Amino acid sequence: MVHATPVFRFMGDRSLLVELGEKISPDVNRCVQELMLQLQQARLPGVREFAPGYRSLLVVFDPLTLSPSELKERIMDVAARPGSAGRPQAKLLTVPVFYGGEYGPDLEGVAGHLGISTDEVIRLHTETMYRVYMIGFTPGYPYMGELPAALAVPRRSTPRTRVPKGSVGIAQRQTGIYSVESPGGWQIIGWTPIELFDPARRLPSLLEMGDGVKFEAVRKVEI
Amino acid sequence: MAGVNTFEVLSPGILSTVQDLGRFGCARYGVAASGALDGFAVRVGNLLVGNVENAAVVETTLMGLRIKAVRDAVLAVTGGDLQARKGNEPLVLWRSLVVREGETISFSGPASGFRSYLAVAGGIHAATVMGSRSTNLASGFGGFQGRPLRKGDILAVEPVKDALRFAGRDLTPEWIPGYSTPWRLRVVWGPQDDHFSEEGKRTFVKTAFAVSPDSDRTGIRLKGPVVSRLPGMEESIISEGILSGAIQVPGDGQPIIILGETASGGYRKIATVISADLPLLGQIMPGDEVVFEAVSMDEAIQALREMEDRIDRFKRSLKERQAAL
């Protein structure tokens, strides 16, 4: 699953995608995380920023300080050092979700598409501990997987122009939480009140790559 | 330090925001760079008024911004020519000037380019959020209260001593960028050019693409013949980090040049605009035409070096001028 040697793809003259595997897998994603930590510790002059993805690390650099070929060599050097960075502490988080109804307008449609009951959709969605593969799309938005195969549904054929903040969506083998109101094409099955992103916090994103998330169905309390 | 109230927004125009050169280091939290789309105009504008290159400025789009000075200030308007006026007089771009209390600055509409920048001595006062004063429009933070400017807003400026000494400076005329359609944008292939057919790549560099009206700060959407993928390639790829200038081609084969409001994406990128041409992206307007020209990595870096050399020389000339006064 993990590439024997990284595949390099330049994105313009100031960033380099380092691909560590072909498909989505926890192993590949752990390698991405490890490489990022190693490179952070290496503090290469001219390296400005890292944007980790499912299976790749985007390294942003200043080509006037570090040439593209030098950058590749340095990354190969760092990657060859055995696991020097250690494992970061992963958080495990339980996320309360109101499923269905006005909170999850696509729950019925998803159940219909899969030919199972809405309760079964909820059971399947809550039974797995998901890995946060990356934060992206909008600030604090966690891309998580892998959804049970029995819950794999396509994206909506027409994306919504406005998905409320806190909406819990699924698409193919992924699940995510909309961190701000935004357009979106995932099937919305529920809603959570947790704040995923706060620019005033020291760590603005509640979740980070490598964290674990489990959903828990809650019922609305009538007041 | 508190800012000094300096401008009142009489009309915000189409879209006016407070920006610096962008928010870097937070992509891992899904936070895009935001920032001024024409970084060259901002760097020069700030240098003209005696600021650091990264001071916050007002970015205004197309037309309609009107502001009134509520105290004397030194400012410079750079970037696109939106026919700025001071009172009733046309205002010279790429030059620092004094605006007196009660005078208005207005932008009536484009003669060339799409976005103008208003730099003021001291820099626009705004809280630094995650290392930047830029407005993140998607999440509503940074800049001026995390939102576009509105009528009645009061813009404060960081205090600066003896600002008048910065008035009357200008950019060497031959370094003023030309903004005109059809835009010629230099690109380097990749990161996923190998996912496109030879015909698709030929189409990409041979077409004058039309800029669609639904372009905005997230991306410049282009219309033209389909840029075709290799047979069997799915519409999307596994999501990965992305930067401004990357040109993604979604399922419909119509390219989108990504701007500064996106940190990740799930479409193939056929090519990426070179760093030296990124400032031009801020000046491309719906209805314009765009032609891509593929260059080598070495040519791209050489072009960037030339741009940085020009800015260094400009900085030195300002220093010499200041020393001579």
Side-chain angles (χ1 to χ4, degrees):
Chain A
M1 287 294 245
V2 179
H3 287 324
T5 52
V7 174
F8 293 110
R9 293 173 178 274
F10 281 99
M11 188 159 82
D13 52 29
R14 72 194 206 287
S15 69
L16 174 62
L17 265 175
V18 186
E19 288 181 358
L20 298 179
E22 204 59 48
K23 299 227 177 325
I24 295 176
S25 92
D27 283 347
V28 171
N29 195 241
R30 268 191 283 273
C31 290
V32 173
Q33 197 177 6
E34 226 156 79
L35 179 63
M36 181 171 77
L37 287 170
Q38 286 177 310
L39 287 171
Q40 272 171 344
Q41 287 175 1
R43 295 181 180 277
L44 302 178
V47 170
R48 287 177 164 165
E49 174 162 27
F50 305 101
Y54 279 104
R55 62 185 187 111
S56 63
L57 183 66
L58 183 69
V59 180
V60 185
F61 68 104
D62 171 14
L64 300 184
T65 307
L66 188 62
S67 79
S69 55
E70 281 171 337
L71 175 65
K72 280 203 279 193
E73 280 169 33
R74 298 288 162 77
I75 290 174
M76 289 300 276
D77 288 348
V78 170
R81 293 178 207 158
S84 52
R87 272 293 146 76
Q89 198 62 45
K91 289 190 293 289
L92 301 178
L93 195 75
T94 301
V95 172
V97 178
F98 299 106
Y99 284 96
E102 59 184 306
Y103 296 112
D106 295 329
L107 179 64
E108 301 256 346
V110 165
H113 176 88
L114 297 170
I116 57 178
S117 68
T118 55
D119 279 351
E120 182 66 359
V121 172
I122 297 169
R123 195 189 65 77
L124 286 167
H125 193 247
T126 51
E127 77 175 4
T128 310
M129 170 73 78
Y130 299 107
R131 176 181 173 84
V132 176
Y133 279 97
M134 64 183 282
I135 305 290
F137 179 52
T138 55
Y141 184 108
Y143 284 91
M144 297 173 285
E146 249 189 344
L147 223 54
L151 212 46
V153 285
R155 287 177 168 78
R156 289 173 56 84
S157 50
T158 310
R160 289 188 171 88
T161 52
R162 278 163 54 146
V163 175
K165 173 182 165 181
S167 296
V168 176
I170 60 174
Q172 281 130 13
R173 301 290 297 277
Q174 303 300 303
T175 182
I177 309 169
Y178 286 79
S179 56
V180 294
E181 182 186 289
S182 66
W186 291 23
Q187 308 278 355
I188 305 303
I189 59 172
W191 177 84
T192 177
I194 64 163
E195 283 287 341
L196 287 166
F197 182 78
D198 178 356
R201 280 196 297 243
R202 192 182 63 80
L203 285 175
S205 180
L206 179 66
L207 293 165
E208 286 184 83
M209 152 185 231
D211 288 343
V213 168
K214 202 162 190 300
F215 293 102
E216 184 182 55
V218 291
R219 304 220 173 270
K220 196 178 171 187
V221 180
E222 301 291 341
I223 301 170
Chain B
M1 198 156 30
V4 182
N5 289 349
T6 303
F7 298 110
E8 179 188 350
V9 178
L10 302 178
S11 161
I14 301 283
L15 177 66
S16 301
T17 53
V18 171
Q19 305 284 354
D20 58 17
L21 293 175
R23 186 170 281 113
F24 300 99
C26 296
R28 79 190 58 172
Y29 306 126
V31 177
S34 303
L37 292 179
D38 182 345
F40 181 81
V42 171
R43 295 169 74 187
V44 171
N46 275 323
L47 291 170
L48 285 170
V49 296
N51 293 344
V52 295
E53 292 172 42
N54 191 30
V57 302
V58 173
E59 175 184 276
T60 192
T61 308
L62 193 62
M63 62 191 289
L65 174 66
R66 275 195 309 134
I67 60 169
K68 185 174 85 176
V70 297
R71 56 177 287 131
D72 295 356
V74 170
L75 58 78
V77 176
T78 58
D81 182 357
L82 306 184
Q83 303 187 71
R85 289 172 175 272
K86 183 173 86 165
N88 292 321
E89 295 299 311
L91 182 154
V92 180
L93 302 187
W94 305 96
R95 171 178 291 174
S96 56
L97 54 108
V98 179
V99 55
R100 297 291 178 188
E101 179 183 339
E103 288 185 315
T104 59
I105 305 286
S106 59
F107 298 83
S108 58
S112 73
F114 192 39
R115 292 181 176 91
S116 265
Y117 294 88
L118 194 150
V120 53
I124 301 286
H125 174 77
T128 301
V129 183
M130 284 180 268
S132 166
R133 294 180 170 88
S134 290
T135 312
N136 185 306
L137 288 171
S139 305
F141 66 86
F144 189 94
Q145 299 176 11
R147 60 165 173 83
L149 298 180
R150 291 182 197 146
K151 182 178 156 66
D153 287 344
I154 302 290
L155 291 172
V157 166
E158 303 289 342
V160 59
K161 257 192 170 161
D162 192 16
L164 290 180
R165 70 197 148 118
F166 299 122
R169 314 203 298 185
D170 48 19
L171 179 66
T172 319
E174 59 266 31
W175 291 347
I176 295 175
Y179 304 130
S180 62
T181 180
W183 297 87
R184 168 182 158 267
L185 296 177
R186 289 169 292 180
V187 299
V188 289
W189 291 112
Q192 283 103 17
D193 54 310
D194 56 335
H195 293 190
F196 292 84
S197 66
E198 280 309 311
E199 191 203 333
K201 290 175 70 172
R202 256 200 313 276
T203 302
F204 180 73
V205 287
K206 283 207 158 158
T207 302
F209 289 97
V211 177
S212 155
D214 55 357
S215 301
D216 57 20
R217 276 190 58 94
T218 65
I220 298 171
R221 291 161 188 274
L222 301 175
K223 296 232 173 295
V226 168
V227 175
S228 54
R229 299 185 298 273
L230 286 172
M233 288 275 176
E234 285 177 34
E235 286 195 4
S236 55
I237 57 170
I238 296 170
S239 284
E240 60 192 22
I242 197 167
L243 282 185
S244 65
I247 303 162
Q248 67 179 29
V249 183
D252 62 4
Q254 304 290 289
I256 301 171
I257 310 173
I258 294 296
L259 299 179
E261 303 293 337
T262 311
S264 66
Y267 292 110
R268 302 189 153 74
K269 277 78 67 181
I270 187 169
T272 305
V273 177
I274 69 171
S275 295
D277 285 352
L278 288 177
L280 299 177
L281 299 181
Q283 302 300 347
I284 298 175
M285 187 159 81
D288 286 354
E289 282 188 334
V290 169
V291 180
F292 297 108
E293 181 196 340
V295 299
S296 70
M297 186 70 97
D298 285 346
E299 288 169 304
I301 294 171
Q302 185 53 34
L304 176 63
R305 188 172 287 123
E306 282 163 18
M307 184 173 83
E308 293 302 324
D309 280 352
R310 236 172 279 156
I311 287 183
D312 281 346
R313 276 152 67 195
F314 176 52
K315 277 200 253 190
R316 276 203 304 277
S317 75
L318 289 176
K319 262 194 197 127
E320 284 159 15
R321 187 194 144 109
Q322 209 64 41
L325 285 180

